[in-house]
Amino acid sequence: MPSKSSARLAALTVAAVCSVASTVVLTSPAHADSVRIHDIQGTTRTSPYAGQQVTDVSGVVTGIRTYGSSRGFWIQDPDADADPATSEGVFVFTGSTPKGVAAGDLVTVSGTVTEYVPGGSTSGNQSVTQISKPVTTVVSSGNAVPAATVVDARSVPAAYAPAGDSAAGGSVGALTLLPTRYALDFYESLEGMNVQVADARVVGASDPYTELWVTVKPRENTSRRGGTVYGSYASQNTGRLQIQSLGAASAFPVADVGDVLAGTTAGPLDYNQYGGYTLVAHTIGALQDGGTERETTRAQQRGELAVATYNVENLDPSDATFEEHAAAIVNHLKSPDIVSLEEIQDDNGASDDGTVSAGVTVRKLIDAIAAAGGPAYDWRSIDPANDSDGGEPGGNIRQVFLFNPERVSFTDRAGGDATTAVGVTKVRGKAALTVSPGRIDPTDTAWASSRKPLVGEFVFRGKTVFVIANHFNSKGGDQGLTSQYQPPARGSETQRHQQATLVNAFVKDVLAAQKNADVVALGDINDFEFSGTAEILESDGALWSAIKSLPKSERYSYVYQGNAQVLDQILVSPDIRRGCDLDYDSVHINAEFHDQISDHDPQVLRFKP
């Protein structure tokens, strides 16, 4: 997924230093006298005064931002007009820490109206109307801050956004706002204004950047554990809202999914690169513990084979999380018989010196598992070609099979390497791999700068089981849900569709050789169970995503911008599905928690081959 912590930190660092990750849109210079804030904001997403000089715009200071690359303050006109589409608040961009103003000051501001695009014009993000290069005069102090507009389940529409203007490339930027009809229009109509939420449940845990997500619609697609489930492209969950703070980072609540910000959380409504509309709070409700605890799955029975997938998020020997990952596998996953690990890095992590082997990384995890009371796992993998499989530069991430040799055996067939394609043959009337472990079509362009599937042949209680460990192309570069383009473009899925086509074809080869073969394709698919990627994997009945055996309120392995969603999947061939004895568990130990050791929840499937 995008927004890995390392990528996010790098982006914030660049933005803080030189603001290259933003765009300010100007038009021809002009001058406008005697305009008010709602005139500047207008009834669309872009100001009719963009590029013009404005003089003595009056408002009360509602909040001051003293950190980051977008420093300044918000002002709001206490005398609103009658048009619900026009915001009464606006951000005044000072560039450096604002001086000489305080909340409650009545000020006049002269400057240039600009449209600032967080993330830059190529990001697809909406723009923020602001006054730049300001000259500010304090008229009086100690005034009442305009009352906060309530944002709640009754005020936010159920429909998400209008369809973009096809003549403008699908942009909604020039469309007249309909704040009673569409959620994005409602939030845009409040841009820069003082708003408030009450008793808001947390649906995205606090992160290192002092932000979290809440919902103002407590009954909207609720998960069993208090989150908000993203279950279709048409159900974006309009009640989600990001919360940041104008206060000290040390005072920001450390919250998990299911907790509640009791009472009032209030502040100006902003729009930023990482999540869109954001309440930047000057007042934050008291944190109320929701009691969310890490889950533990059951142990497999003697006749059940337990397979799992677990993205360990760029694990390398220098990390301090080996004992925690080991405890998760032993105590929470109950030591599955086969574990597909994703994002195992090479033996020196991100140092880009040509190292591709990962034996030190894997052995350190295996030893930690044994020390935690787990089995003495064996392992198989194939080293990638240097810097060819994507991920963190120099890290050479790959998939790895761990397996418990007391329960399953691995069928080794020599010849598998970074560029040799695994094939399917028949041995005594049964399907068999030509190499094991092997990789599916590793030189196909579908896998450019992406992880190639790892295939292995296992035997459990005399029955062969083929396992395919996957880590498909990430969603990096896709337009966000709050993009100015509606519906947002999902350009990254083109490559995932190509990858899914190859995996599906390989599974069909196995089933052509042996109709009742047991095949498990699992891993970080980086796409939803309802996505086109999943449909291609499942095409012609070759596979079925077993997470769909769970109730919809439990289908998620990742939380992104307050949406609990499926990225990690375990798919099975018809013979396994027909057995009617499969037992699927998405084990929620990471995604909902502020102190996660990975951003993914592991998945476990138990069945009787």
Side-chain angles (χ1 to χ4, degrees), residues 11 47 70 76 84 129 173 283 344 429 438 486 526 579 583:
S47 172
S70 186
Q76 183 168 333
T129 302
T283 302
I344 290 287
Q486 294 294 328
N526 261 322
D583 183 18

Side-chain angles (χ1 to χ4, degrees), residues 443-463:
T443 60
D444 192 285
T445 56
W447 309 112
S449 298
S450 186
R451 283 67 54 190
K452 288 69 175 170
L454 178 71
V455 187
E457 190 173 321
F458 295 86
V459 176
F460 175 72
R461 298 172 69 88
K463 183 72 178 289

Side-chain angles (χ1 to χ4, degrees), residues 472 496-506 533 536-537 539:
F472 282 8
R496 285 193 299 280
H497 290 179
Q498 296 168 350
Q499 295 172 344
T501 299
L502 293 178
V503 172
N504 175 268
F506 179 82
T533 303
I536 293 169
L537 284 169
S539 62

Side-chain angles (χ1 to χ4, degrees), residues 476-496:
D478 286 0
Q479 293 171 353
L481 291 181
T482 59
S483 168
Q484 66 164 299
Y485 301 102
Q486 294 294 328
R490 302 186 298 271
S492 69
E493 69 182 10
T494 298
Q495 187 173 3
R496 285 193 299 280

Side-chain angles (χ1 to χ4, degrees), residues 7-209:
R8 175 77 186 276
L9 181 59
L12 289 178
T13 301
V14 171
V17 173
C18 57
S19 300
V20 297
S22 62
T23 296
V24 175
V25 179
L26 292 170
T27 58
S28 57
H31 190 276
D33 293 316
S34 303
V35 298
R36 295 173 64 182
I37 293 173
H38 52 249
D39 298 320
I40 293 171
Q41 287 285 8
T43 59
T44 69
R45 285 174 165 77
T46 55
S47 172
Y49 289 89
Q52 297 188 34
Q53 300 288 323
V54 291
T55 303
D56 295 335
V57 179
S58 179
V60 176
V61 176
T62 60
I64 301 172
R65 182 157 55 201
T66 61
Y67 59 86
S69 61
S70 186
R71 302 185 188 195
F73 56 93
W74 289 268
I75 60 173
Q76 183 168 333
D77 192 332
D79 298 317
D81 67 2
D83 191 342
T86 58
S87 170
E88 301 295 340
V90 72
F91 185 66
V92 180
F93 174 67
T94 59
S96 58
T97 301
K99 296 179 180 179
V101 295
D105 284 352
L106 175 64
V107 300
T108 59
V109 178
S110 301
T112 303
V113 177
T114 56
E115 291 290 336
Y116 165 77
V117 183
S121 59
T122 60
S123 69
N125 288 328
Q126 297 184 50
S127 62
V128 178
T129 302
Q130 60 186 28
I131 301 175
S132 301
K133 299 180 180 179
V135 175
T136 303
T137 301
V138 176
V139 177
S140 63
S141 299
N143 301 282
V145 172
T149 300
V150 174
V151 177
D152 61 14
R154 290 174 295 181
S155 61
V156 181
Y160 190 67
D165 182 357
S166 59
S171 174
V172 296
L175 300 181
T176 299
L177 299 177
L178 300 173
T180 61
R181 186 178 301 178
Y182 299 110
L184 286 193
D185 287 9
F186 169 78
Y187 288 121
E188 178 65 21
S189 74
L190 300 176
E191 179 191 273
M193 288 181 61
N194 194 30
V195 301
Q196 73 175 46
V197 299
D199 298 327
R201 192 178 72 246
V202 175
V203 294
S206 302
D207 68 16
Y209 311 99

Side-chain angles (χ1 to χ4, degrees), residues 44 47 50 115 123 238 258 285 310 315 329 377 404 410 447 470 497 501 532 566 595 602:
T44 69
S47 172
E115 291 290 336
S123 69
T238 60
Y310 188 16
L315 189 67
I329 291 170
Y377 279 112
N404 180 359
F410 190 89
W447 309 112
N470 302 278
H497 290 179
T501 299
V566 170
D595 55 348

